[in-house]
Amino acid sequence: MDYTGPYAQELKIACLTVQRASLLTKKLIQAVDKGSFDKQDDTPVTISDFGAQSLIIAAIHHHFPDDDIVGEEDSKTLRAEPELLERTWDLVSSTRLEDEESEKLLTAPRSKDEMLSLIDLGAQGSCKPKGRTWVLDPVDGTATFMRGQQYAVCLGLVEDGKQIIGVTGCPNLNLESGCIHEDLADRAGRGVMVFAVAGEGVWTRPMGSGTLLPATKVQPVAQITEPKDIQFVDCKSATSSDYDLNARLAQNLGAPWPPRTDLWSAQLRYIAIAVGGCNVLIKIPRKSSYRSKVWDHVGGMLIVEELGLTVSDLQGQPVDLTLGRTLSGCEGMIIAPTSIHGRLVEAVTQMR
């Protein structure tokens, strides 16, 4: 893959910084495996979230200082806990790409104070109708991260409310089986990156420890018209969406159930559609007032849209990315091949 379009620099920086942040998270998994942390303690999750966010923002803010940045975390916990701050800084200051030119291109925090300030840049950001905003989730799937299962490191660029770039690092993803499963984790390698550029398509590449490795184009998802051809991805243990309503919807449609793929990470569900053999994701909230965070969907939505799927709320309306840090105008979601998306909107409307 040799993308030379108008966002070539943004894409290169995004891919490199996601790869570096993914390396940081893998180092923590290895530390847990070696007994360096109590497996009942959430310290590795905390360090991973803060550390990955600071490394990503360091690179983005250095190259694009006028762009807004939305990150999930703020530095309050680190500022209040000196020991946790020290352990986070130790990891951040020691995580570097092995390729000198790639690492030099990214830059990194030079002190604990700078690290804290970078983390807070993400906490202050907000998606707006005009301008450019980078949206990141340093570790999407913290519960499964701690179990050595699937999780994602995510970064996307939104410009004037439109997704432009989406990069998802999947440090434990193993694609040899042709599907994605929580327990089929790549513990020996460094996982897979999936990324997209608006209007250009989707690619995958193995993640390494240095320069970016060659990428392979992902073929569009097949357009289907019959419910029998639906392959859902969902999460039975999710607390925000109504799994039982989804089951009833599948029964009403005559679609296969239960889902072939069950994943905790919201962003990994998009990746399952892109490379794991799934093709439909429906999120019906347990509470009508529930709204998702932008970092759980930005980037992943672009990836599936570039593969021929339509993303909407439950009424079939496009998702508005200009309303702040949440998808405040979006009740639930329907993600499906364009050929069957309208039928699913009708089925959800009739059921509710």
Side-chain angles (χ1 to χ4, degrees), residues 1-15 134 155-157 159 162-168 194-205 215 217-218 299-307:
M1 180 259 180
D2 188 20
Y3 171 71
T4 58
Y7 295 95
Q9 178 73 348
E10 286 89 342
L11 179 63
K12 183 175 183 179
I13 297 302
C15 288
W134 293 87
L155 179 63
L157 173 61
E159 186 173 67
K162 304 295 184 183
Q163 294 178 101
I164 302 298
I165 289 172
V167 180
T168 303
V194 184
F195 61 100
V197 180
E200 300 288 343
V202 178
W203 294 264
T204 65
R205 63 160 50 98
K217 191 75 174 280
V218 178
M301 292 190 297
L302 176 63
I303 287 170
V304 297
E305 287 172 344
E306 285 294 307
L307 293 175

Side-chain angles (χ1 to χ4, degrees), residues 22 25-26 29 148-153 168-195 203-207 218 261 263 267-277 303:
S22 296
T25 65
K26 290 286 270 193
I29 290 176
Q149 297 173 316
Q150 302 300 332
Y151 66 98
V153 178
T168 303
C170 311
N172 278 349
L173 187 57
N174 184 339
L175 293 177
E176 291 183 1
S177 66
C179 65
I180 299 177
H181 190 279
E182 294 286 16
D183 294 322
L184 293 177
D186 180 5
R187 303 303 292 272
R190 296 186 174 90
V192 177
M193 180 185 294
V194 184
F195 61 100
W203 294 264
T204 65
R205 63 160 50 98
M207 287 197 290
V218 178
T261 303
L263 294 166
Q267 289 278 6
L268 255 296
R269 294 174 216 159
Y270 289 108
I271 301 306
I273 292 174
V275 297
I303 287 170

Side-chain angles (χ1 to χ4, degrees), residues 88-237:
T88 302
W89 172 244
D90 286 346
L91 189 66
V92 168
S93 60
S94 64
T95 301
R96 299 290 183 266
L97 294 175
E98 293 177 359
D99 178 68
E100 185 176 339
E101 289 302 313
S102 296
E103 179 59 38
K104 185 178 178 180
L105 184 64
L106 290 184
T107 74
R110 292 163 292 186
S111 68
K112 284 179 277 191
D113 285 341
E114 184 179 1
M115 179 184 74
L116 293 169
S117 296
L118 288 167
I119 292 169
D120 285 335
L121 275 181
Q124 297 158 9
S126 179
C127 288
K128 302 177 181 67
K130 295 295 182 181
R132 298 191 354 158
T133 302
W134 293 87
V135 180
L136 67 102
D137 192 339
V139 177
D140 183 60
T142 53
T144 43
F145 167 79
M146 273 302 292
R147 293 196 292 266
Q149 297 173 316
Q150 302 300 332
Y151 66 98
V153 178
C154 312
L155 179 63
L157 173 61
V158 177
E159 186 173 67
D160 297 338
K162 304 295 184 183
Q163 294 178 101
I164 302 298
I165 289 172
V167 180
T168 303
C170 311
N172 278 349
L173 187 57
N174 184 339
L175 293 177
E176 291 183 1
S177 66
C179 65
I180 299 177
H181 190 279
E182 294 286 16
D183 294 322
L184 293 177
D186 180 5
R187 303 303 292 272
R190 296 186 174 90
V192 177
M193 180 185 294
V194 184
F195 61 100
V197 180
E200 300 288 343
V202 178
W203 294 264
T204 65
R205 63 160 50 98
M207 287 197 290
S209 59
T211 190
L212 295 173
L213 297 173
T216 302
K217 191 75 174 280
V218 178
Q219 295 304 307
V221 172
Q223 295 297 317
I224 60 173
T225 57
E226 298 297 327
K228 65 179 178 61
D229 295 321
I230 289 175
Q231 291 291 345
F232 285 103
V233 56
D234 210 316
C235 180
K236 189 174 184 178
S237 58

Side-chain angles (χ1 to χ4, degrees), residues 26-96:
K26 290 286 270 193
K27 287 170 72 173
L28 277 168
I29 290 176
Q30 292 165 359
V32 171
D33 289 344
K34 293 176 182 177
S36 300
F37 291 89
D38 183 346
K39 290 202 174 194
Q40 303 305 313
D41 184 7
D42 64 358
T43 299
V45 173
T46 306
I47 293 174
S48 185
D49 282 331
F50 290 137
Q53 179 156 317
S54 71
L55 283 178
I56 292 171
I57 294 178
I60 295 302
H61 186 60
H62 173 75
H63 285 277
F64 314 108
D66 296 328
D67 291 359
D68 205 359
I69 302 173
V70 173
E72 183 176 4
E73 308 300 333
D74 64 51
S75 70
K76 291 178 183 177
T77 300
L78 287 184
R79 293 179 188 273
E81 300 185 28
E83 182 180 349
L84 189 64
L85 171 60
E86 194 64 39
R87 296 187 81 169
T88 302
W89 172 244
D90 286 346
L91 189 66
V92 168
S93 60
S94 64
T95 301
R96 299 290 183 266

